[in-house]
Amino acid sequence: MKILVHVTRFIVGVLFIFSGFVKLVDPIGSQYKFEEYFSESVLHIPFLIPYALPFAIFLIIAEIVLGVALLVGWQSKFTVKSLLFMVLLFLFLTGYSAYYDKVTDCGCFGDAIKLTPWQTFYKDVVLTVLIFFLSYKTKLITPLKSKYFPGKVVFWSLIISSFITYYVLAHLPIIDFRPYAIGKNIPKGMEYPEDGSLPKVHDFMLEDSQNDLAPEILKMKKVVLVIAYNLDKADFEAFPDIKKMADEAIKKGYKVYGASASFSDILNLTIKKFDLPFEFLFCDETTLKTIIRSNPGIVILNEGTVVDKKNWKDIEDLKFE
């Protein structure tokens, strides 16, 4: 029985740590996912949308810290009860999504691993059973090494997770699992897989008042995209620096475009206010949020390949050939 407890403990702990880590490197992605859950069309609790980011951060760090706590045997009763509460919450969300077909991807493993709603639900059912088993065997979950070792490990897992979260929010995800990561070719991502499923990139368009310019832009060698998915929510202090960057890029032969899902009125006002030397093209908001986790953010393309991308706060680190 003790061996079974240790095996179960290891499986649950590792799964929670892995699940937390792949979201920790990109907490904004989890924020967007919870905003979707809280929306009118899903759980009908839109008043929680402004708190989606802190809620996501809390759950992500909790997943990692509790997973570590289970592995090292820190406060076994508290740890297992907390894990049970968390997995029941996930079970409700994934079950609701699967049954009502509301959220097609729960984001349980971030963008690293995509599961269908029912696959995710069954995964949570198995986890729930395993944690229920551990809840009856907490006496067999013994601490590793010395009395104080587990507490120190849990403390440092909290500190490290918090630091990574702060760094990622101030810059960009430290690991990018999305089809717009540096080195990825967007036209290649648009190709249909052999199984006939949707390509990884299936909604990339850059439209002016008449045409979709994406096919043309993706053939250019030197392109800078200034992405602001929603100007009402953008950091306007960024635009003086963006203007300087755009001027420099144009001098070095780059074509510069803005990309936004905002209405033309606010786009034109922003261009005029900051004397921006480029036009804004329309693109779907979800697509822009997927491309870069910054509002605004900068992406450099070379014949459709993502050469570089930066949070506007790191604009000085951009290098133009």
Side-chain angles (χ1 to χ4, degrees):
M1 182 60 70
K2 193 171 184 179
I3 293 177
L4 183 58
V5 169
H6 288 325
V7 171
T8 304
R9 164 186 180 182
F10 177 80
I11 292 172
V12 173
V14 169
L15 274 175
F16 267 84
I17 293 171
F18 176 75
S19 175
F21 177 77
V22 294
K23 295 195 288 284
L24 181 72
V25 298
D26 183 14
I28 298 295
S30 294
Q31 174 193 355
Y32 295 155
K33 188 57 61 177
F34 280 116
E35 287 177 349
E36 186 177 358
Y37 273 117
F38 295 155
S39 66
E40 289 278 3
S41 61
V42 184
L43 294 177
H44 310 286
I45 45 176
F47 62 91
L48 288 180
I49 289 178
Y51 308 102
L53 181 58
F55 184 70
I57 292 172
F58 174 79
L59 283 183
I60 290 168
I61 293 178
E63 277 190 89
I64 294 175
V65 172
L66 290 173
V68 170
L70 185 63
L71 290 181
V72 299
W74 179 80
Q75 299 290 331
S76 60
K77 288 185 179 180
F78 169 80
T79 297
V80 173
K81 285 182 180 179
S82 300
L83 287 171
L84 185 59
F85 172 80
M86 187 174 292
V87 79
L88 289 175
L89 172 63
F90 293 158
L91 190 65
F92 165 74
L93 291 175
T94 56
Y96 184 90
S97 299
Y99 185 79
Y100 291 102
D101 194 26
K102 291 288 188 178
V103 181
T104 56
D105 171 28
C106 76
C108 296
F109 294 115
D111 290 296
I113 300 175
K114 297 292 186 179
L115 299 176
T116 66
W118 282 113
Q119 286 174 334
T120 305
F121 175 71
Y122 294 139
K123 180 264 296 180
D124 286 336
V125 168
V126 173
L127 267 178
T128 302
V129 172
L130 294 177
I131 296 173
F132 261 116
F133 168 71
L134 290 176
S135 68
Y136 288 101
K137 302 294 179 182
T138 53
K139 292 182 179 179
L140 298 178
I141 304 176
T142 53
L144 295 182
K145 294 190 176 182
S146 66
K147 180 180 178 181
Y148 300 103
F149 175 77
K152 291 179 181 178
V153 174
V154 170
F155 172 77
W156 280 108
S157 69
L158 173 62
I159 296 300
I160 294 171
S161 299
S162 301
F163 174 78
I164 292 175
T165 301
Y166 169 79
Y167 179 87
V168 170
L169 291 176
H171 302 280
L172 287 178
I174 55 177
I175 302 176
D176 194 343
F177 297 106
R178 287 159 288 145
Y180 301 97
I182 294 174
K184 296 286 187 179
N185 183 268
I186 296 175
K188 189 174 182 180
M190 292 178 172
E191 297 175 0
Y192 278 83
E194 293 182 0
D195 60 7
S197 60
L198 282 176
K200 293 182 178 179
V201 178
H202 58 272
D203 48 9
F204 183 83
M205 294 180 291
L206 296 169
E207 301 173 313
D208 62 9
S209 58
Q210 296 180 331
N211 302 300
D212 176 17
L213 302 183
E216 176 186 343
I217 291 172
L218 292 175
K219 293 178 182 178
M220 297 178 182
K221 288 190 174 182
K222 292 184 174 183
V223 178
V224 175
L225 294 181
V226 177
I227 295 176
Y229 73 86
N230 186 329
L231 280 175
D232 289 324
K233 300 178 181 179
D235 293 314
F236 276 91
E237 59 184 297
F239 286 103
D241 290 334
I242 285 176
K243 174 184 165 42
K244 293 178 184 177
M245 177 277 300
D247 288 336
E248 179 187 352
I250 291 170
K251 288 179 182 178
K252 294 192 175 181
Y254 284 78
K255 291 286 292 182
V256 182
Y257 299 93
S260 179
S262 295
F263 292 109
S264 58
D265 290 345
I266 189 172
L267 295 177
N268 292 331
L269 286 173
T270 303
I271 291 172
K272 185 176 181 180
K273 179 177 180 179
F274 296 101
D275 192 25
L276 300 177
F278 55 84
E279 64 175 321
F280 273 95
L281 303 175
F282 176 82
C283 186
D284 176 70
E285 182 171 320
T286 300
T287 300
L288 296 177
K289 287 179 175 181
T290 304
I291 294 173
I292 192 166
R293 305 299 202 201
S294 177
N295 187 31
I298 299 92
V299 177
I300 300 179
L301 300 177
N302 185 338
E303 295 182 336
T305 296
V306 180
V307 176
D308 200 2
K309 58 199 300 189
K310 298 290 184 186
N311 187 305
W312 72 266
K313 297 174 184 176
D314 300 314
I315 201 169
E316 293 182 357
D317 296 334
L318 285 171
K319 296 180 180 179
F320 301 109
E321 297 180 357

